[in-house]
Amino acid sequence: QVRLVESGGASVQAGGSLRLSCAASGDTISSHCMAWFRQAPGNEREGVARINSSGRTYFSFPVKGRFTTTRDNAKSPLYQQMDGLKPEDTAMYYCAAVVYAGECRTLPHVTEFEYWGQGTQVTVST
């Protein structure tokens, strides 16, 4: 079992930056595919970034070049640096994890992620 807890969400102005963290407890997550998802009111949950067990990252088109995702399996395992924030980035951000040995780029599907945090709210104002 893995428990994930996100932190770092806040209200910022457009163009600002935030750094999200995802702390893990329980079983080791070194062999997990980890990801950030976000969900705005009325919208479906969408993938933002994925990082495989070796640290390779994949980003969705809307955030590519603005967000950076890293992992440190020895500490809080997942971070997301978000720069150049836009109002459309406003959402609840969730970290998720699932045991997966592959590239983690498009699979596993969002429904296959086994562990989820409770979310941290990011609000970007104009």
Side-chain angles (χ1 to χ4, degrees), residues 5 15 19 44-45 53 56 72 82 93 97 99 121:
V5 179
R19 187 179 192 233
E44 293 185 355
R45 190 165 296 189
S53 58
R56 185 167 184 175
D72 180 353
M82 306 187 298
Y93 283 71
V99 175
Q121 179 68 38

Side-chain angles (χ1 to χ4, degrees), residues 32-54:
H32 288 60
C33 167
M34 300 199 72
W36 287 100
F37 293 87
R38 67 186 182 187
Q39 187 167 20
N43 290 358
E44 293 185 355
R45 190 165 296 189
E46 64 171 344
V48 175
R50 292 173 180 234
I51 184 166
N52 67 15
S53 58
S54 63

Side-chain angles (χ1 to χ4, degrees), residues 67-89:
F67 290 11
T68 303
T69 299
T70 57
R71 69 187 292 169
D72 180 353
N73 294 329
K75 303 178 182 178
S76 287
L78 193 63
Y79 301 94
Q80 180 156 278
Q81 177 68 36
M82 306 187 298
D83 299 317
L85 284 163
K86 304 176 181 180
E88 51 263 44
D89 294 319

